[in-house]
Amino acid sequence: MSRSWERMVEKNSKQINKRRKKEGKKGITANAPQIDRFRGRNYIVPVLLIMLILLYITLAQPWSDQFMQDPTLFWVTIACYVVLAFFYYMRRPYLAVSRDTLETRKFTGYKTLRPTEIRKITIQPGYVIVESVKGANWVFSKLMNRYPISQMEERLRTFTELHKIDWEVKKK
């Protein structure tokens, strides 16, 4: 099937699904795109923030007699850093692999790569590296973000075979 035909079928199925949803029926999901999400866990930034909080508390010495003029603001700042660490912990990094794209979330927002923008995918023990034609490489690490590397490897292998992207496995 050509891509334009697939897009047309997808567009029509979306319209039918909307209509069926209004009628209270189940939608048609036969041609729904399969997206595999591999989620990690961000723990490095929260740990650094907690260490920064501890440093801030020890340098300010709130238990001494010469404590700052407004201790309430000090503890509000500490609470804000704790909340920020919690948000970073709960915001899980991911790699989403669909039929035609790879997607992830970076500090600057959501990033998407199409097969024409990928030079090579390299698998190392504990790492998956997606080398892009333009821009920085995407590195997914088991040590830094607790990604399921073996599952990612299987799915990315089928992605590279489908789009004829270079595949490299480095064993150390």
Side-chain angles (χ1 to χ4, degrees):
M1 228 187 303
S2 69
R3 295 197 191 258
S4 61
W5 179 262
E6 287 178 8
R7 285 192 301 268
M8 189 173 66
V9 168
E10 184 179 336
K11 178 184 158 193
N12 290 338
S13 64
K14 282 182 184 178
Q15 290 175 348
I16 291 172
N17 283 338
K18 283 182 184 178
R19 189 171 19 145
R20 289 178 62 91
K21 186 177 179 182
K22 288 180 184 177
E23 295 172 357
K25 299 178 183 175
K26 270 190 167 180
I28 305 168
T29 59
N31 292 329
Q34 179 190 4
I35 298 175
D36 294 324
R37 284 189 191 268
F38 302 101
R39 293 184 175 272
R41 176 60 74 186
N42 191 0
Y43 68 92
I44 298 292
V45 174
V47 167
L48 289 176
L49 283 172
I50 297 296
M51 289 172 49
L52 181 70
I53 291 168
L54 295 175
L55 177 71
Y56 189 54
I57 289 174
T58 56
L59 289 179
Q61 296 179 354
W63 52 85
S64 69
D65 292 335
Q66 295 138 357
F67 190 50
M68 58 207 71
Q69 293 177 354
D70 190 12
T72 307
L73 186 60
F74 174 80
W75 292 112
V76 166
T77 305
I78 296 297
C80 287
Y81 273 110
V82 169
V83 168
L84 184 64
F86 177 74
F87 281 143
Y88 268 110
Y89 182 75
M90 296 308 291
R91 185 176 181 227
R92 296 180 71 176
Y94 70 91
L95 171 67
V97 183
S98 67
R99 185 176 186 278
D100 294 331
T101 60
L102 296 179
E103 181 182 320
T104 190
R105 180 176 50 221
K106 301 285 184 184
F107 280 113
T108 56
Y110 293 95
K111 302 292 182 189
T112 303
L113 282 178
R114 304 218 175 270
T116 57
E117 300 168 343
I118 300 172
R119 178 178 296 131
K120 177 173 61 170
I121 296 179
T122 306
I123 303 294
Q124 294 179 356
Y127 293 96
V128 172
I129 303 168
V130 179
E131 296 181 22
S132 63
V133 174
K134 188 169 108 177
N137 297 342
W138 293 3
V139 179
F140 302 98
S141 169
K142 186 169 185 77
L143 177 67
M144 293 290 286
N145 292 113
R146 307 301 302 158
Y147 281 107
I149 299 296
S150 59
Q151 296 171 2
M152 289 170 68
E153 180 180 354
E154 294 170 9
R155 179 62 176 101
L156 287 173
R157 179 177 289 280
T158 59
F159 183 82
T160 57
E161 289 171 356
L162 178 66
H163 297 290
K164 297 174 181 48
I165 298 171
D166 291 340
W167 176 265
E168 183 180 352
V169 177
K170 291 185 179 179
K171 302 286 182 188
K172 288 189 177 183

